[in-house]
Structures are given as structure tokens and as C-alpha cells.
Amino acid sequence: MRGVRPPAWLSDPKVLRTEVLAGLVVGLALIPEAISFSIIAGVDPAVGLSASFTMAVTLAVVGGRPAMISAATGAVALVIAPLNREHGFGHLVAAVILAGVLQIVLGALGVAKLLRFVPRSVMVGFVNSLAVLVFMAQVPEMTGVPWPVYPLIAAGLALMVFFPKVTTVVPAPLVSIVILTAVTVAAGIAVPTVGDKGALPSSLPTPGLPDVPFTLDTLTTVAPYALAMALVGLMESLMTAKLVDDITDTRSSKTRESVGQGIANIVTGFFGGMGGCAMIGQTMINVRVSGARTRLSTFLAGAFLMVLCIVLGPVVSDIPMAALVAVMVMVSVATFDWHSVAPRTLKRMPAGEITVMVVTVVCVVATHNLAVGVVVGALTALVVFARRVAHLAEVTTVTDPDGTTVVHRVTGELFFASSNDLVGRFDYADGPGRAVIDLSAAHIWDASSVAALDAVETKYAQRGRTVEIIGLNEHSARLHSTLSGELTGGG
């Protein structure tokens, strides 16, 4: 069709190779993660692996952010684990489907536009906390294990650091996984492997309805968990999409991504999966480490995951966990924004910005919930901003030469934080009988400011003095005329 450009991977063999190899690396890295998250959710490992397959393949088609990886995640597993434990697997699947419906509704309502209210300091905190969480998730794989695990991890890290200096044709993480697997199998080194995490699926997932009674009672049971999953999944996915936008210097449709996440969760639910959202670790492997940029890598990550499990299950089971731990440690190092914590940066950064970043990181790491960290960080940023601008409203007082009028010139933005101090800026007892409040250099933003001006007028009137407000711009005049005298019981 005229005017439609073919995908880059279709016309450029180099791009195709990058996308295919990136998909293979991510597919390998998804396996132990999906199994681990299945354990957290209290379901069979095959459930998490199937969910990762359906999420990735579906979002490769309907998602808004090319090259982003979505699959079964820890955030979703933590939300739905209590539902599975208390009511069973059927209710979990029903919650996943309902969460998908809610995500489509939220996406259509434009919830993605709320991202514009997330400050940069929260975004930096989000990125850094993700890096910390990715690293922390590897700690259990490095404690209480046979000693050969440690040199294997070190060797894997060394390969990923130095192999790109030789060639970038093949992704270093894939080379590291293949070499470490070959060494451990050939030498018979006894270390934990992917197979130790759980059984891999032996066939493709099949569609079906959740095994629950379709009643109002079921709906009220699963609805709170579905809403929590929808919100957590959207927030994590949209923040990850924004991060990939920044890394690749491209834009993506967050509304399409929101709706796409919903469609993917509905599909996953009908195939008996545990649901999911964007995965920061695997996305960073795909985008930053492997250099993928198109939807093909996302599709192949899910496809390779299932092929590896079904066709090459015995081979994949022999991959040492040390190889995958090394990949994830490298991802965490690459994800962390080291410039944000450099002494030179911290010396120049306002204290409020540093506080917001630290609060975001601490909340995410403490709760293992990215949504909590982002919300608390954004609220902290709001408080910091309000405190900062609250002092920007100034009052300059000048008395006319004839001594009959005093002019108070107000400069700045008047809103709930700055207008609270406004009432105390005037001398009501002394001075000429007439006062003028000049707002030509100010702007009224809310009802609190109108109420404050009403209070000023009342205090002048109580002392037998007249007051006139002048200089209101169009918006301020409209707000003042609408609300003045209507904000108190006596108005």
C-alpha cells in the first residue's frame, strides 16, 4: 500500500539480526524470572511462563511502545497472590481479565496523560529504584550457593564487559550464557540451574474461561484485586515506556500502550495466565544492552520463550542461574543513573529535588511496589513545590503623597499555599482611610486566594476603611467575581 513504510528489520539485514538475537537473549532471561514470579503468586511455573508468552506476543502487535518487553512481573504477582491463596486459581484468572478491561477503560479515559505531572526527580528515583530492585532480586541466587557460582558470575560479567570490544555482531549476554552453560555442562560443575526453578511447559497454552461462578459475589471478590493490578500494571508500564522513549530518543503513544496492556491481560487471562505488565530488567536487556528498537524483538522474546521451553526444554534447564544472574547484574548497573548521585551533581541540585529522588527510591525499595514509590514521590514533589512558591507572593506598600490612599502592590502567584500568608501582610489599624490592592502583577489561581482577599476586605471594613481591588487579569477577574462573597457561611 502506498505511503506505508515497511518495518526496518524487513529491509535491513543488520537490524533483523539485532532484533532476532535480542529476542533470543530476552527469551532466555524471561524464563527464570517468570518461574520466580509464579512462585510468588502461588501458581505453577507454567502459568507464569505462559503469561510471559501471551503478554509479549500480544503487545508486540497492540502495544504503543516498540521494543518494550511485557511479561509476568513481580509487582502483579504481589497484588494477586492473596486472591489466589484465599479464593483459588479461578478467581485469579477472573481478576486478570477484569484488570485488562479496567486498563482499556482507563486508557480510553486518558490516564496516560497524567504522566506529564511526574517530575524529573521522581523519574530519576524510579529508574534508580528499579536498578536496585533488579540487583536485590539476584541476591538470593548469590547466597547459600556452591562456591563455583561466584567465579561463574564474575566470568559472565567479564565477558559482557570485554566481548563488545571484540565484536557487537552477537549480543554479549547471549555469548555469556552460551559459554557458561557449555563450561558447566562439559566440566560437570554442580551449580543451580534453570531446571531447579521448576518444570517448563511442554505445550502451548490453550484458551478457556475462568473456573468461577459468574455471579455478583465473584465480581465483588475479584474487583479490588483487579483494580489494584490495573493501576500497578499501568503505572509500571507507562513509566517504563517513558524511560525507553528517553533512551531511544523517540516518542510512543501512551494511550495505545494503556489499551494494549489491557488487551494483553485479557488474552493472557483467557489462556490461563497470571497477567503482567512491562518488565524493566528485560526491557533494558532488549533496548540498552542488545540494541533492539522494533516490535519484532518483543514478539520474538515471547516466541523464543515458548520454543525454548517446549522444544529445547532439557537444554534450557541446564543453563546455570549464575549466567542469568550476571546478565541481570549488568542490567542493574546499566540502568542506574550514576550521574544523578555523582558528588558534583548533588552539590548543584536543589535539596528538594534530592529529597524527592531519595523518597521515591526508599519507598519503592521498601515496598517492592513501583506504584507506591511514584505516587509518594510525586506527592513529595508537590509539597516541595508548594513550599517553594508559597514565598513568591510579595506585597509592596506605597502611600500617596496626599496621604489619603495607600497602595498595596501584590506580585506573584496566588494559590492555596501563597495566599494563606496574604492576610497578614497588611496593616489594617493604621494608615489612610482608603486602601488599594493592585493585582496587576499577580494571578489568582484558586478559591483559597479569593477567600483570602475577602478576608482582607472584611478586616479593612471592620475598621471603617474602604478597600478597592484593581488590576485583575481576565482569568483572575472571572474567578474573583464568581466566588467572592460565596465562600463563607455569612456570604
Side-chain angles (χ1 to χ4, degrees):
M1 188 165 57
R2 292 180 63 185
V4 178
R5 295 174 58 186
W9 53 267
L10 200 59
S11 56
D12 189 338
K14 184 177 179 181
V15 173
L16 177 62
R17 182 182 66 240
T18 298
E19 299 296 313
V20 171
L21 293 176
L24 179 57
V25 173
V26 174
L28 285 167
L30 278 172
I31 294 173
E33 294 276 304
I35 294 174
S36 298
F37 298 145
S38 298
I39 295 171
I40 292 173
V43 298
D44 189 81
V47 174
L49 290 164
S50 298
S52 296
F53 163 66
T54 53
M55 288 291 297
V57 169
T58 304
L59 278 162
V61 179
V62 301
R65 175 62 257 179
M68 189 169 77
I69 305 297
S70 291
T73 59
V76 169
L78 288 169
V79 170
I80 61 177
L83 178 63
N84 181 60
R85 185 170 56 248
E86 296 169 15
H87 299 279
F89 181 67
H91 282 74
L92 181 151
V93 172
V96 171
I97 295 172
L98 180 56
V101 173
L102 292 173
Q103 286 179 327
I104 292 175
V105 172
L106 290 170
L109 291 175
V111 71
K113 294 177 182 177
L114 294 176
L115 268 185
R116 70 181 68 180
F117 297 108
V118 178
R120 182 185 179 279
S121 51
V122 174
M123 191 67 191
V124 172
F126 168 79
V127 171
N128 290 346
S129 59
L130 285 173
V132 173
L133 286 183
V134 169
F135 181 82
M136 288 175 61
Q138 313 314 310
V139 173
E141 306 296 338
M142 296 186 282
T143 55
V145 293
W147 69 266
V149 168
Y150 303 109
L152 285 172
I153 293 175
L157 291 171
L159 280 168
M160 284 182 285
V161 170
F162 295 109
F163 186 78
K165 300 181 185 300
V166 178
T167 180
T168 56
V169 173
V170 182
L174 179 59
V175 173
S176 175
I177 291 170
V178 170
I179 290 178
L180 293 186
T181 302
V183 168
T184 54
V185 172
I189 302 173
V191 292
T193 64
V194 169
D196 295 331
K197 287 288 184 181
L200 304 180
S202 57
S203 62
L204 289 171
T206 54
L209 295 174
D211 184 19
V212 294
F214 293 91
T215 63
L216 183 61
D217 183 59
T218 300
L219 179 63
T220 56
T221 299
V222 303
Y225 296 94
L227 179 60
M229 175 184 164
L231 293 174
V232 169
L234 275 185
M235 186 167 294
E236 188 161 347
S237 299
L238 294 176
M239 294 291 284
T240 303
K242 188 173 187 300
L243 175 62
V244 177
D245 288 353
D246 294 340
I247 293 172
T248 60
D249 197 24
T250 57
R251 297 184 65 183
S252 61
S253 171
K254 304 303 181 298
T255 297
R256 178 177 172 180
E257 184 61 42
S258 302
V259 174
Q261 289 287 330
I263 295 172
N265 273 306
I266 291 174
V267 171
T268 298
F270 280 119
F271 276 90
M274 58 180 277
C277 62
M279 297 189 77
I280 181 65
Q282 277 65 21
T283 298
M284 288 300 99
I285 293 175
N286 197 46
V287 175
R288 178 164 276 173
V289 179
S290 301
R293 292 292 183 270
T294 76
R295 299 177 184 276
L296 181 63
S297 59
T298 305
F299 178 86
L300 290 179
F304 280 139
L305 164 67
M306 198 50 64
V307 170
L308 289 167
C309 291
I310 296 174
V311 180
L312 300 175
V315 176
V316 173
S317 296
D318 287 334
I319 295 175
M321 285 301 299
L324 297 172
V325 168
V327 172
M328 299 309 291
V329 169
M330 182 61 73
V331 167
S332 69
V333 172
T335 301
F336 197 91
D337 186 350
W338 297 101
H339 176 73
S340 67
V341 296
R344 183 179 178 183
T345 304
L346 294 176
K347 190 181 297 184
R348 296 182 176 184
M349 191 74 68
E353 301 284 313
I354 297 173
T355 300
V356 170
M357 181 180 70
V358 171
V359 166
T360 303
V361 172
V362 170
C363 286
V364 171
V365 173
T367 63
H368 285 238
N369 190 320
L370 297 166
V372 170
V374 171
V375 170
V376 174
L379 291 175
T380 303
L382 176 63
V383 172
V384 170
F385 172 77
R387 286 178 58 86
R388 185 181 300 162
V389 300
H391 306 293
L392 295 182
E394 298 293 338
V395 178
T396 305
T397 301
V398 178
T399 303
D400 277 0
D402 59 8
T404 60
T405 304
V406 60
V407 179
H408 303 288
R409 182 176 175 82
V410 181
T411 305
E413 308 300 317
L414 298 181
F415 68 112
F416 64 91
S418 60
S419 61
N420 285 336
D421 296 331
L422 188 65
V423 180
R425 298 289 188 91
F426 303 95
D427 184 358
Y428 303 101
D430 300 321
R434 180 173 181 269
V436 174
I437 300 177
D438 183 2
L439 297 177
S440 57
H443 189 98
I444 299 175
W445 286 104
D446 59 9
S448 296
S449 302
V450 177
L453 291 172
D454 283 353
V456 171
E457 290 185 278
T458 299
K459 288 181 178 295
Y460 271 117
Q462 288 173 345
R463 289 162 177 79
R465 301 173 67 187
T466 61
V467 62
E468 181 185 1
I469 296 176
I470 65 171
L472 290 171
N473 59 38
E474 182 179 352
H475 175 272
S476 300
R478 185 166 58 249
L479 189 64
H480 185 265
S481 64
T482 302
L483 297 178
S484 182
E486 302 294 332
L487 298 172
T488 62

